[in-house]
């Protein structure tokens, strides 16, 4: 090969390298990194699903069947919680109302016995969903990591994992067993849920269920059908705790240009929050979720800490974090639908938040009180000249959430375009 030919080839290679470097640089400039932060059960995963529904609904269709065992798990957990709460109340002899009669107790005990085969499957199903993962400290439940759907949906299987077919088959077998047992028990579940004693104690807060439990128990007849496929509302209502950091990518087009929106859903328990830090660097935006309905609740990992106090402390840390000083900051004061229900039921905020004092116990006053505390934390600990955008949200109100998501996304996009010089 002549020197001229070698120089020509070398020059061509250099040119291709420069072009590829330019393409990668442009791709990075069009990448928007958004972190969903907040304590456990604040609504982060539900918000991620709302984003997916809004920007990438076809991907939700692809993984729809993988949510079937998750729905089943939510039902089994709800049933177990009902019986556990009844046992506790009976042990403490604090029950009044319908349970005082022997007939009602016998009815509920009979339902429990008939539902035992179904209840016995909860731990097995949780283990399959979690891929055998266990949590330090003896905590039980279903915990999922990035790519969990691939264990439950053959369309997402990864051939490189030699054990994956075995895990998929085992999970499908467990799901089939639960589905069959659920079908046999559906009338008993219906009878339990509609029983006057259960409804009485739920109304009087003797039995406290997770936010979504009543939804699934109300729809048990539909869910127990042999050909059941989860609806969008079913998927939005499921509760499944996140382990680590889960990345979701959505292509978003604005003014004719495409951007890669990378959404990071993170585990919110105290033990997992250190895992957030590596993702703070170059984050475009932070969406912080605070469930203001949780004023009467305490952390599972620290029963002495009120969840509102924990949210405020966590938000204060986010505001003052040096790595996040350039990030667009959004706060979603979430679960206002549940807040309204609690206030309408006469639950007093001052009983749990002493600083609330003698203020009016209505939605407008309570929501404004919590909003002002988050704004104050931002002013005290935040970086100068960084705006804070606050929204009240009910994550299951899809119509309202789509509007909020559109507004939030537009604000984040505008800032990114300006910062990246893409305008």
């Amino acid at each position: 090969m002549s020197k001229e030919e070698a120089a020509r080839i070398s020059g061509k290679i250099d040119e291709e390298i420069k072009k590829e470097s330019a393409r990668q640089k442009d791709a990075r400039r069009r990448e928007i990194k958004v972190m969903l932060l907040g304590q456990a059960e604040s609504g982060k995963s539900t918000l991620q699903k709302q984003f997916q529904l809004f920007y990438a609904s076809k991907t939700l269709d692809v993984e729809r069947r993988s949510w079937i065992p998750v729905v089943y798990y939510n039902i089994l957990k709800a049933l177990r919680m009902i019986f556990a709460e009844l046992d506790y109340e009976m042990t403490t002899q604090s029950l009044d109302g319908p349970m005082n009669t022997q007939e009602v107790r016998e009815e509920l005990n009979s339902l429990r016995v008939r539902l035992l085969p179904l209840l016995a499957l909860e731990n097995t199903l949780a283990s399959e969903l979690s891929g055998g993962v266990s949590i330090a400290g003896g905590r039980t439940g279903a915990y999922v990591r990035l790519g969990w759907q691939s264990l439950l949906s053959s369309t997402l299987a990864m051939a490189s994992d030699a054990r994956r077919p075995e895990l998929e088959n085992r999970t499908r077998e467990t799901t089939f067993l639960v589905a069959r047992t659920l079908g046999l028990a559906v009338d008993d579940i219906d009878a339990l849920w509609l029983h006057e004693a259960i409804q009485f104690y739920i109304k009087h807060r003797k039995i406290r269920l997770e936010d979504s439990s009543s939804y699934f128990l109300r729809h048990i007849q539909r869910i127990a059908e042999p050909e059941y496929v989860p609806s969008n509302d079913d998927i939005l209502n499921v509760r499944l705790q996140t382990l680590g950091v889960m990345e979701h990518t959505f292509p978003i087009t604005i003014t004719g240009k495409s951007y890669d929106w990378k959404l990071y859903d993170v585990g919110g328990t105290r033990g997992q929050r250190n895992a957030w830090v590596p993702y703070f660097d170059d984050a475009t935006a932070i969406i912080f979720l605070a469930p203001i309905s949780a004023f009467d609740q305490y952390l599972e990992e620290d029963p002495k800490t009120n969840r509102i106090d924990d949210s405020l402390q966590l938000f204060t840390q986010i505001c003052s974090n040096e790595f996040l000083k350039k990030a667009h900051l959004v706060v979603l004061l979430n679960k206002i639908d549940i807040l309204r229900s609690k206030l309408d039921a006469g639950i007093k905020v001052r009983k749990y938040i002493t600083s609330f004092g003698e203020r009016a116990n209505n939605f407008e006053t309570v929501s404004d009180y919590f909003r002002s505390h988050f704004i104050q934390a931002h002013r005290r600990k935040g970086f100068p000249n960084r705006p804070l955008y606050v929204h009240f949200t009910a994550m299951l109100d899809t119509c309202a959430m789509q509007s909020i998501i559109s507004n939030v996304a537009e604000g984040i996009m505008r800032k990114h375009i300006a910062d990246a010089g893409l305008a």
Side-chain angles (χ1 to χ4, degrees):
M1 181 185 298
S2 65
K3 290 183 178 180
E4 291 79 5
E5 181 66 12
R8 186 186 67 79
I9 293 174
S10 177
K12 188 174 182 180
I13 292 173
D14 289 343
E15 184 180 347
E16 288 299 321
I17 291 174
K18 289 179 181 179
K19 287 181 179 179
E20 179 60 26
S21 177
R23 280 194 294 268
Q24 291 180 2
K25 183 178 180 180
D26 184 63
R28 285 194 297 270
R29 292 172 69 198
R30 297 188 184 281
E31 183 178 282
I32 299 173
K33 182 178 174 182
V34 181
M35 295 198 68
L36 307 182
L37 302 181
Q39 63 187 203
E41 299 180 23
S42 58
K44 299 185 297 296
S45 295
T46 308
L47 177 60
Q48 175 269 311
K49 286 179 281 188
Q50 286 282 19
F51 266 98
Q52 187 176 2
L53 186 62
F54 190 67
Y55 289 112
S57 59
K58 289 183 179 179
T59 64
L60 199 63
D61 290 334
V62 169
E63 64 187 41
R64 192 172 296 277
R65 288 186 177 275
S66 69
W67 288 98
I68 293 175
V70 185
V71 171
Y72 291 164
Y73 172 74
N74 275 247
I75 292 170
L76 268 57
K77 184 178 180 182
L79 294 174
R80 189 247 305 160
M81 290 175 67
I82 287 175
F83 286 120
E85 291 285 352
L86 282 178
D87 288 343
Y88 173 78
E89 295 295 341
M90 291 178 67
T91 301
T92 57
Q93 297 182 339
S94 61
L95 279 175
D96 51 11
M99 275 290 283
N100 275 336
T101 68
Q102 184 65 25
E103 181 183 359
V104 169
R105 293 192 182 203
E106 289 178 356
E107 287 175 359
L108 293 175
N109 283 334
S110 178
L111 286 170
R112 183 205 297 263
V113 170
R114 295 201 296 273
L115 289 172
L116 279 177
L118 181 63
L119 293 168
L121 295 172
E122 182 190 357
N123 288 340
T124 302
L125 185 58
S127 178
E128 297 298 340
L129 289 172
S130 305
V133 173
S134 59
I135 304 298
R139 296 177 64 197
T140 59
Y143 302 85
V144 295
R145 296 178 292 184
L146 182 64
W148 65 269
Q149 288 100 334
S150 64
L151 293 176
L152 309 177
S153 173
S154 58
T155 59
L156 299 177
M158 296 170 59
S160 60
D161 187 341
R163 292 189 64 241
R164 194 164 296 273
E166 173 194 342
L167 294 171
E168 286 177 351
N169 290 334
R170 195 170 64 198
T171 304
R172 279 197 290 267
E173 289 172 3
T174 301
T175 302
F176 176 76
L177 178 59
V178 173
R180 186 175 60 185
T181 311
L182 184 68
L184 295 172
V186 63
D187 290 337
D188 287 329
I189 296 172
D190 225 5
L192 177 70
W193 175 244
L194 297 175
H195 198 287
E196 62 172 342
I198 300 301
Q199 291 300 315
F200 175 88
Y201 295 124
I202 288 175
K203 181 179 179 180
H204 292 83
R205 294 176 60 77
K206 296 289 186 179
I207 295 177
R208 298 193 184 193
L209 299 176
E210 290 185 345
D211 304 338
S212 61
S213 296
S214 60
Y215 170 86
F216 289 115
L217 293 174
R218 287 198 311 271
H219 291 86
I220 191 63
Q221 292 288 347
R222 172 176 61 85
I223 294 170
E225 289 291 329
E227 301 302 319
Y228 167 69
V229 176
S231 66
N232 288 343
D233 284 340
D234 293 346
I235 294 172
L236 289 173
N237 271 279
V238 294
R239 295 294 175 266
L240 197 59
Q241 295 199 52
T242 303
L243 271 183
V245 179
M246 300 178 71
E247 178 185 316
H248 307 269
T249 302
F250 309 106
I252 298 179
T253 301
I254 185 169
T255 62
K257 295 181 180 179
S258 180
Y259 297 86
D260 285 329
W261 186 289
K262 293 187 180 295
L263 206 62
Y264 294 87
D265 177 14
V266 301
T269 59
R270 282 185 170 179
Q272 296 190 68
R273 293 174 188 175
N274 287 336
W276 301 358
V277 178
Y279 294 83
F280 285 172
D281 190 28
D282 75 358
T284 309
I286 300 297
I287 301 179
F288 185 89
L289 289 91
I292 57 175
S293 64
F295 65 85
D296 60 342
Q297 295 174 280
Y298 298 84
L299 293 181
E300 182 181 347
E301 58 268 42
D302 181 7
K304 293 183 179 180
T305 300
N306 185 283
R307 288 188 62 190
I308 293 287
D309 290 337
D310 179 68
S311 275
L312 275 167
Q313 292 170 19
L314 183 55
F315 179 66
T316 300
Q317 294 170 15
I318 297 299
C319 286
S320 59
N321 191 291
E322 189 72 23
F323 291 110
L324 299 173
K325 65 180 180 181
K326 294 182 179 180
H328 188 88
L329 192 56
V330 178
V331 170
L332 303 184
L333 301 179
N334 195 28
K335 303 192 179 183
I336 60 171
D337 49 337
I338 300 172
L339 175 63
R340 287 183 188 275
S341 296
K342 287 184 176 181
L343 297 177
D344 289 344
I347 301 171
K348 303 297 183 183
V349 174
R350 66 172 177 265
K351 179 180 177 181
Y352 304 93
I353 309 288
T354 55
S355 60
F356 187 74
E358 297 300 320
R359 293 174 176 84
N361 203 70
N362 57 51
F363 176 79
E364 289 72 19
T365 303
V366 172
S367 59
D368 186 64
Y369 174 79
F370 290 137
R371 179 178 179 272
S372 65
H373 273 65
F374 280 91
I375 291 175
Q376 188 178 27
H378 174 256
R379 287 174 179 167
R380 288 201 321 265
K381 297 294 183 179
F383 294 95
N385 304 319
R386 179 171 68 175
L388 174 67
Y389 302 90
V390 183
H391 300 268
F392 290 108
T393 55
M395 208 55 64
L396 298 177
D397 184 345
T398 298
C399 184
M401 281 308 304
Q402 298 299 290
S403 176
I404 291 172
I405 284 173
S406 179
N407 290 335
V408 168
E410 184 179 343
I412 293 173
M413 294 280 281
R414 281 200 305 266
K415 183 179 186 301
H416 174 75
I417 289 171
D419 291 348
L422 295 170

